[in-house]
Amino acid sequence: MILSLLHQIPLIREQNFSGEEKKNLKKYFKIRTFKKKEKILNKGEVEMYFNFVYKGLIRQYYIDENGNEVNTRFADAGDIICSEFSYFSGTPSGYISEAVENSTLLSITVEDMDYIQSQGMNFLRFGKLLMARVFFLKEERERKFLS
């Protein structure tokens, strides 16, 4: 089942992994489901997973000094959602991630991502393209915010 779900994620589908590589890849991803309004990550927790949204809608936000929820991003099917700084640094996140509707995520830990990238050029390329996608999305959000 996880292999068919992974194949629905454009970034993974576009990699042209061999059958053996796909089998290896599926070992490291976890299917996680969340109900509407369920927290995926709370402020102060360390982000343990890099998440691909398979189904649903996720919002990421923080609480400002006046107690207001400030949305920083929304992610739906095919998108990536993660508190990147927390994920890569291992430090507590200042963000909250919450399911806006019932959602399914395909998630991988930083340790497993590091490991699979050591398993060959296709996996290394996948990691590089994944990071490029994260930076492109972040830059696009910043551009929209500042314009």
Side-chain angles (χ1 to χ4, degrees):
M1 179 173 160
I2 196 164
L3 195 54
S4 63
L5 295 180
L6 284 170
H7 193 69
Q8 300 302 311
I9 304 297
L11 192 61
I12 293 173
R13 187 176 57 242
E14 295 163 3
Q15 292 310 300
N16 296 318
F17 289 119
S18 70
E20 190 64 31
E21 288 171 328
K22 287 177 187 175
K23 285 180 190 175
N24 285 336
L25 189 63
K26 78 176 188 173
K27 289 190 268 187
Y28 299 102
F29 277 87
K30 179 178 181 178
I31 299 171
R32 302 190 308 146
T33 58
F34 298 89
K35 296 195 180 303
K36 181 178 180 175
K37 297 277 191 182
E38 188 175 353
K39 301 290 191 278
I40 297 160
L41 177 71
N42 284 297
K43 179 181 177 182
E45 293 178 344
V46 174
E47 177 71 81
M48 300 301 296
Y49 295 100
F50 198 91
N51 305 291
F52 293 89
V53 180
Y54 172 70
K55 181 176 77 172
L57 180 66
I58 309 298
R59 78 174 176 132
Q60 191 174 70
Y61 65 96
Y62 66 91
I63 308 293
D64 72 10
E65 60 277 353
N66 297 319
N68 300 308
E69 295 179 356
V70 180
N71 293 318
T72 57
R73 102 172 79 165
F74 288 89
D76 63 1
D79 287 339
I80 296 165
I81 190 76
C82 179
S83 178
E84 291 91 355
F85 184 80
S86 177
Y87 180 80
F88 289 109
S89 69
T91 60
S93 177
Y95 295 99
I96 301 161
S97 296
E98 176 184 80
V100 175
E101 58 190 40
N102 292 344
S103 300
T104 302
L105 305 179
L106 297 171
S107 306
I108 187 167
T109 66
V110 69
E111 294 85 5
D112 287 340
M113 181 64 87
D114 287 346
Y115 178 76
I116 65 166
Q117 288 183 84
S118 74
Q119 298 304 297
M121 290 306 293
N122 277 347
F123 292 119
L124 188 59
R125 182 173 182 268
F126 168 68
K128 179 182 173 186
L129 292 173
L130 184 60
M131 292 307 100
R133 175 96 172 121
V134 166
F135 290 123
F136 293 158
L137 291 171
K138 192 170 223 49
E139 186 173 307
E140 182 66 16
R141 282 193 310 275
E142 290 169 356
R143 186 189 60 77
K144 286 179 180 177
F145 178 73
L146 295 172
S147 58

